Amino acid sequence: MGISIFEADRLFYSHTMQKSILDLLNEVELSLDPASRRAADSYLQLALQSQESRFEALLVKALRALRASQWARASLDLASALKIFPKHEQTQALLAKAVGACDPQNALSLIDNFLNEFPDSTLLWPLYWMHARTLRDPKHIQEALARLQEVDSGTEVLTIYQFLSSIENAPQQLGVCHFDPETLTITGWAIDRRDPQHACELRIESGSVSGRLTADNTSALLASAGVASSVGGFQIKLVKPAEYLHLSFKDGTPLLGSPLSALETLPLREGVSHAQFSTHTEETVLRQKSCVSVLVPVYGGREKTLECLHSVLAAVSHNHVVHEIIVLDDASPDAILVGELSKLAQEGRITYVRRPANLGFIRNMNRAMLLHQDRDVVWLNADTRVTGDWLDRLQNAAYSDPSIASVTPLSNNGELTSFPQMRVSSPMPTESEQRLLDQLMSRLDLPPEEVFVGCGFCFYLKRSALNDVGLLDERTLVRGYGEETEWCLRAHTRGWRHAAAVNVFIAHSGGESFGRAKRGLVSRNNAVIKLRYPSASRDFDRFVQTDSLRVAREAIQRARIKKLARKDARELMIYRTTKSALDGQSVILGFNPEQSKADRDVLGQSPMCLTWAQNGLELNVQLIVSDFCPAIVLNYHLPQAADILRRDLELFAPASYRSVDEINIPDLLAFCLKASKKSQSNKVRQQAAVTKSRQSKLSTKTLVTKQVADHLLSSNSLGLVIDDLSDPVIAQHWLSLIRDLSQDSSLALSTDMARLLVAQDTPVVAQLEKSGFVVLANFPKGLSIERWLAVFGVSHMVSCMQQESSVLTDRFDQFLSRLQEPNELEGLPRVSAQIWVKALRDHIQSSKRKPHHLPQEIA
């Protein structure tokens, strides 16, 4: 029942490649005429150098390598193709297949990343389960069961079925049930893997009423999967809604999705009245009389949930706003948590609402917002922590203007309201760290700032806005993804605005990313929102670009500097980045999830860092002090802010400076560093940011001999160029070497025989690539750089620098600083470019390969 590699190739590419390219592939693969093959190779080499045809040419090379089981070569070409079209789903699928041929775990990591872009991919998901089947790891069982509830592809059902069949203790009985609130109909399928062609008996219960049914209908999904041709499906038409409905096999094993809450869909305006903006005076009267409902939805995460509730209860006495804490238990399976919540309710400290069956966030929250239709409401995630008079300040922000519909506070993890950087999550501060920061924000008492949309981790909604805009959309949005965004956009269409309370800080654990199996729900909801609000994406990007909260965040940070700055003779590390230090993507940030482990280690060695990037005539500088939580992050545009940077450095008074780069620090930045008061005598040191142990270890390495180079080349492996090709002298040296090779007609090189890998994209690399000897590497997200180098077959390093040059060691260390597991590369043999060229000439000119034994130097 599996799919062969050739069938898969046709499936993936039959509708994406031009006929001429397929003809070329046939010519290359099937022709027995050496002259024709050489002509095809020449044509393909030209196609690789053309911007218009390079993508298709890379695919041809990759397919050739796949059919020859040359997985490393195929991976290299497919990764290069993804640099041209990063979101080409078919190429992603083939790359995952090539990588998985050698390491299924690497393939799973890669597919996991690709699924962020194509969460419902009918190509990637089957590959995912095929590789999971190879690994036979039981840890994927729960993920497979969760995915079965969402999948609508027979091919994927089959691969999940095959995966579960490969696991010894996987469930034998599989079944899924869904409820359609529009028609009050329950549909689904159920099979026993021990006899999938036999119709299973099911039980259905609702309160004290129970019954039986047989899954003897044809299930289109199971039939298309080839699992059960004429049985397995069922359908139930309900007479009336039911709060609780449980479906199970006759032995009591529940179907996936059961129990169900078979309730009708609430319309957007159920129980709410149309309202216009109130006047400021009218709103003041209303807020003085009204109670606020603090709604805390709960399901799992016992420790975080109880910490959240205890923080809310501890803050009650600090707030003048009358409020009721309503805990919404969405059928939590945690009996201990249920017991703790029941105890708090019995003590009269909370109002406890437990749902008989899981409603999902949207339906749970809609019904909670209708409990008291005269109240403002606050959504509060169960993984948050509040402090002080948080609710008073949120309400003040909400009523600072009649047109404000919702308010979101600042948080370490709050999307647009994240602090210290927008849309960048940072670790959750401790209770004392949060209190210190929140008190400082409260004293500053900066006015609210407008945001494009709010964030549901802590979301204050005015009743007047709720009455006008309506409830959450539970009709078209699935379960609980993107609901606050849709509500905020709907509010925009009715003239409402949304605000950030920049004088409130709520800690938010977050970190609960959507599992792979649920990403499709996120994608579908996002598609609904984009279709309904076509300009939303453009408006969102415009807001992010202008960042109206930046001034407030900078004011808070400067207030923190005055309070937290300590002069304890720390070292300031200076780091150059090719990205703007002001775009939220600086590679050195301690809380950037995409940074390498080496960058985090650097921060651990010195908690004060300064990044700089040249932007035309401007210099963008970012100062990061990471031993506070959240980190202190300040941005500067030089030369305009040179005096401000100098004064800020004076407050921290670093004992010394260390540059993590060989590039000279710009004069303007050097002036600011030297001008700070305590550092007048400090010398700005230019040196590579490497440890002494690594320096000594690398400096003892010797360049390998020509005999070793011969062995490495004959094994069809790749060499990694570790020189800095942005250096004009080094670049010219490499151009001369490769040009000499290219002009030697006796060294005709096949299009799939590139020997050198370059990881640095500079103008000279494009010229080197034209030779066919050199290829620029692309490292798609999902695997670390060092894993990619292993996938590509890199077995040695090449440099044009002489052995006695210390520059070689420094430059190699700069490359290692980008890696998460640098020790994997430290053991690779190092070959000088001159020896490498000689070995390549000998190797290509050999008419017949001779067996190469492992040289003593490697052994």
Side-chain angles (χ1 to χ4, degrees):
M1 300 176 101
I3 301 174
S4 74
I5 186 172
F6 305 107
E7 293 169 337
D9 290 346
R10 285 195 291 271
L11 172 67
F12 293 159
Y13 284 99
S14 60
H15 62 288
T16 62
M17 295 178 62
Q18 299 175 4
K19 185 174 184 297
S20 60
I21 296 297
L22 289 175
D23 290 342
L24 173 62
L25 177 61
N26 289 332
E27 183 180 1
V28 171
E29 293 298 321
L30 303 178
S31 174
L32 299 178
D33 181 358
S36 298
R37 184 179 178 88
R38 285 195 298 272
D41 279 355
S42 299
Y43 180 82
L44 187 54
Q45 186 65 43
L46 290 174
L48 287 169
Q49 299 177 25
S50 167
Q51 186 175 358
E52 292 75 16
S53 59
R54 180 171 172 77
F55 177 74
E56 288 83 359
L58 286 167
L59 297 187
V60 170
K61 285 186 61 186
L63 287 172
R64 175 196 292 177
L66 284 171
R67 291 173 177 171
S69 299
Q70 296 175 346
W71 311 116
R73 292 287 170 170
S75 299
L76 182 62
D77 291 328
L78 290 166
S80 297
L82 284 178
K83 185 172 185 178
I84 303 172
F85 293 117
K87 296 184 179 182
H88 195 268
E89 184 182 1
Q90 291 85 353
T91 304
Q92 290 180 347
L94 270 190
L95 177 58
K97 182 167 58 178
V99 170
C102 298
D103 191 332
Q105 188 58 59
N106 276 348
L108 290 183
S109 299
L110 194 58
I111 295 172
D112 182 29
N113 177 73
F114 291 155
L115 286 172
N116 288 324
E117 297 169 337
F118 301 103
D120 284 322
S121 172
T122 57
L123 297 179
L124 295 170
W125 273 115
L127 279 175
Y128 184 88
W129 298 117
M130 287 167 60
H131 292 306
R133 179 186 178 188
T134 303
L135 292 172
R136 297 188 178 185
D137 191 339
K139 73 179 182 181
H140 295 292
I141 291 177
Q142 291 305 314
E143 182 183 8
L145 298 178
R147 180 62 187 166
L148 278 176
Q149 299 178 64
E150 312 299 335
V151 67
D152 56 6
S153 160
T155 302
E156 186 180 350
V157 169
L158 173 60
T159 53
I160 293 177
Y161 186 89
Q162 293 172 332
F163 160 70
L164 292 173
S165 298
S166 71
I167 306 297
E168 184 176 353
N169 297 320
Q172 297 290 351
Q173 298 177 126
L174 299 174
V176 174
C177 57
H178 296 287
F179 172 66
D180 182 359
E182 299 299 316
T183 61
L184 292 182
T185 303
I186 298 172
T187 57
W189 56 267
I191 57 171
D192 190 321
R193 291 195 293 112
R194 291 164 293 199
D195 188 4
Q197 301 301 330
H198 177 73
C200 297
E201 287 188 26
L202 305 177
R203 296 173 56 190
I204 181 169
E205 302 172 68
S206 180
S208 59
V209 180
S210 64
R212 295 182 181 276
L213 70 150
T214 304
D216 54 4
N217 294 345
T218 299
S219 166
L221 189 61
L222 295 180
S224 65
V227 174
S229 57
S230 59
V231 298
F234 63 85
Q235 179 174 310
I236 309 167
K237 175 70 176 179
L238 300 182
V239 177
K240 60 180 181 179
E243 269 198 314
Y244 177 88
L245 199 149
H246 181 55
L247 279 83
S248 63
F249 291 91
K250 64 180 181 180
D251 65 355
T253 302
L255 271 65
L256 299 171
S258 180
L260 293 165
S261 180
L263 299 176
E264 292 179 296
T265 299
L266 289 178
L268 294 181
R269 297 192 176 279
E270 175 71 20
V272 299
S273 59
H274 182 76
Q276 297 295 331
F277 296 150
S278 303
T279 66
H280 200 282
T281 303
E282 289 172 339
E283 287 205 329
T284 302
V285 173
L286 286 172
R287 65 184 286 207
Q288 289 174 346
K289 294 181 179 180
S290 178
C291 177
V292 173
S293 293
V294 178
L295 308 176
V296 186
V298 168
Y299 182 77
R302 183 195 316 154
E303 292 183 3
K304 292 179 181 178
T305 297
L306 294 176
E307 181 186 14
C308 170
L309 292 176
H310 287 306
S311 75
V312 177
L313 291 168
V316 168
S317 61
H318 297 283
N319 289 273
H320 295 93
V321 175
V322 179
H323 57 286
E324 180 183 8
I325 305 166
I326 304 176
V327 177
L328 309 169
D329 180 352
D330 205 9
S332 171
D334 187 336
I336 297 177
L337 176 59
V338 171
E340 292 290 337
L341 296 176
S342 300
K343 181 180 178 182
L344 289 174
Q346 291 169 5
E347 294 172 352
R349 305 182 72 189
I350 65 170
T351 298
Y352 182 38
V353 178
R354 179 167 170 81
R355 309 295 185 190
N358 187 271
L359 291 173
F361 181 86
I362 295 179
R363 296 201 295 165
N364 191 14
M365 195 61 72
N366 268 349
R367 285 152 183 80
M369 291 191 294
L370 292 177
L371 290 174
H372 304 281
Q373 298 182 30
D374 60 339
R375 296 182 181 178
D376 292 352
V377 299
V378 178
W379 306 354
L380 188 66
N381 273 17
D383 61 349
T384 59
R385 188 199 307 122
V386 303
T387 184
D389 57 341
W390 68 281
L391 187 54
D392 286 354
R393 284 174 279 155
L394 278 183
Q395 190 182 73
N396 287 338
Y399 285 89
S400 63
D401 189 290
S403 65
I404 292 177
S406 74
V407 174
T408 306
L410 295 185
S411 173
N412 59 291
N413 188 355
E415 294 293 335
L416 294 180
T417 61
S418 286
F419 180 90
Q421 278 198 305
M422 179 176 60
R423 303 183 70 199
V424 179
S425 298
S426 58
M428 186 173 181
T430 64
E431 186 176 352
S432 59
E433 288 171 334
Q434 177 190 358
R435 186 183 304 110
L436 187 66
L437 178 57
D438 183 67
Q439 289 173 351
L440 183 145
M441 291 182 178
S442 179
R443 285 195 299 272
L444 286 177
D445 199 23
L446 299 173
E449 296 286 348
E450 184 170 357
V451 291
F452 185 61
V453 292
C455 187
F457 75 94
C458 181
F459 195 49
Y460 189 109
L461 289 90
K462 282 160 55 174
R463 178 57 59 171
S464 55
L466 197 54
N467 287 343
D468 183 50
V469 178
L471 299 173
L472 302 176
D473 181 4
E474 62 182 61
R475 187 180 301 272
T476 53
L477 297 183
V478 183
R479 296 192 64 79
Y481 311 110
E483 64 286 333
E484 77 271 37
T485 298
E486 194 282 331
W487 190 91
C488 288
L489 294 174
R490 193 171 0 128
H492 275 306
T493 66
R494 302 189 64 82
W496 293 92
R497 299 185 301 123
H498 309 286
V502 294
N503 62 342
V504 186
F505 184 88
I506 303 296
H508 180 207
S509 174
E512 297 291 335
S513 61
F514 298 119
R516 282 177 288 266
K518 299 291 185 182
R519 289 178 193 168
L521 300 180
V522 182
S523 176
R524 278 168 249 162
N525 284 0
N526 285 340
V528 169
I529 293 172
K530 289 180 180 179
L531 184 63
R532 189 174 293 173
Y533 308 100
S535 66
S537 294
R538 183 176 63 254
D539 295 339
F540 179 86
D541 292 340
R542 187 183 302 116
F543 175 84
V544 171
Q545 186 67 30
T546 55
D547 188 6
S548 62
L549 303 187
R550 177 180 294 164
V551 174
R553 290 196 308 268
E554 296 264 338
I556 295 167
Q557 293 285 39
R558 298 201 180 285
R560 292 180 76 203
I561 284 182
K562 294 177 182 177
K563 189 173 185 64
L564 299 176
R566 58 176 192 259
K567 303 179 180 181
D568 53 0
R570 289 176 295 176
E571 183 175 55
L572 175 68
M573 296 191 71
I574 303 166
Y575 193 98
R576 180 181 61 137
T577 175
T578 56
K579 298 181 180 180
S580 169
L582 304 180
D583 65 0
Q585 301 295 325
S586 182
V587 294
I588 199 66
L589 290 179
F591 41 76
N592 188 334
E594 296 183 3
Q595 73 183 71
S596 69
K597 179 178 182 297
D599 288 333
R600 291 194 294 272
D601 289 344
V602 167
L603 280 173
Q605 295 164 13
S606 180
M608 291 181 63
C609 294
L610 185 144
T611 71
W612 62 273
Q614 196 74 46
N615 184 18
L617 297 178
E618 260 192 351
L619 196 65
N620 293 337
V621 177
Q622 190 173 69
L623 175 65
I624 308 113
V625 185
S626 61
D627 54 356
F628 302 112
C629 188
I632 290 178
V633 181
L634 289 166
N635 300 306
Y636 311 85
H637 293 282
L638 305 186
Q640 299 94 320
D643 288 340
I644 300 175
L645 172 60
R646 179 180 53 78
R647 288 196 297 268
D648 288 345
L649 288 173
E650 288 175 3
L651 290 172
F652 287 100
S656 61
Y657 306 108
R658 187 151 62 108
S659 176
V660 192
D661 210 299
E662 291 181 10
I663 304 299
N664 288 330
I665 295 175
D667 292 341
L668 183 57
L669 180 56
F671 173 79
C672 293
L673 295 171
K674 294 176 181 178
S676 57
K677 290 181 179 177
K678 185 177 177 180
S679 59
Q680 291 288 346
S681 60
N682 289 339
K683 181 180 180 181
V684 180
R685 294 182 288 132
Q686 296 285 114
Q687 63 181 52
V690 294
T691 62
K692 291 182 179 179
S693 60
R694 178 177 290 174
Q695 283 180 327
S696 61
K697 182 176 181 180
L698 291 174
S699 61
T700 59
K701 289 185 175 180
T702 58
L703 297 180
V704 296
T705 64
K706 181 178 179 299
Q707 182 185 12
V708 176
D710 289 344
H711 169 76
L712 295 172
L713 290 169
S714 64
S715 63
N716 289 326
S717 59
L718 279 174
L720 173 67
V721 175
I722 60 173
D723 290 333
D724 182 6
L725 296 178
S726 64
D727 184 315
V729 176
I730 296 177
Q732 186 57 47
H733 194 113
W734 272 107
L735 279 173
S736 298
L737 285 173
I738 300 301
R739 187 181 297 116
D740 290 345
L741 286 174
S742 302
Q743 293 174 350
D744 189 338
S745 59
S746 65
L747 301 180
L749 192 64
S750 173
T751 55
D752 59 355
M753 294 294 285
R755 295 295 189 176
L756 285 176
L757 191 70
V758 176
Q760 185 182 18
D761 192 0
T762 64
V764 73
V765 172
Q767 301 178 55
L768 294 175
E769 278 196 293
K770 292 180 180 180
S771 68
F773 295 98
V774 178
V775 60
L776 173 63
N778 180 40
F779 305 113
K781 292 181 181 179
L783 298 181
S784 62
I785 294 178
E786 58 271 33
R787 283 195 182 186
W788 276 122
L789 293 176
V791 167
F792 296 154
V794 171
S795 66
H796 56 290
M797 301 173 294
V798 184
S799 173
C800 69
M801 305 301 295
Q802 297 299 320
Q803 176 182 355
E804 60 271 13
S805 172
S806 62
V807 179
L808 176 59
T809 298
D810 292 343
R811 286 189 175 131
F812 180 53
D813 286 324
Q814 290 176 36
F815 178 77
L816 290 181
S817 70
R818 299 171 56 193
L819 307 180
Q820 296 176 9
E821 302 165 10
N823 290 335
E824 293 187 9
L825 291 186
E826 288 179 350
L828 293 181
R830 188 180 302 164
V831 185
S832 75
Q834 292 77 10
I835 292 177
W836 182 89
V837 168
K838 292 177 182 177
L840 182 63
R841 288 181 184 275
D842 293 344
H843 176 66
I844 295 178
Q845 290 175 343
S846 298
S847 58
K848 181 178 179 181
R849 290 191 178 183
K850 298 179 181 180
H852 290 260
H853 303 288
L854 188 67
Q856 187 63 37
E857 289 91 334
I858 293 183

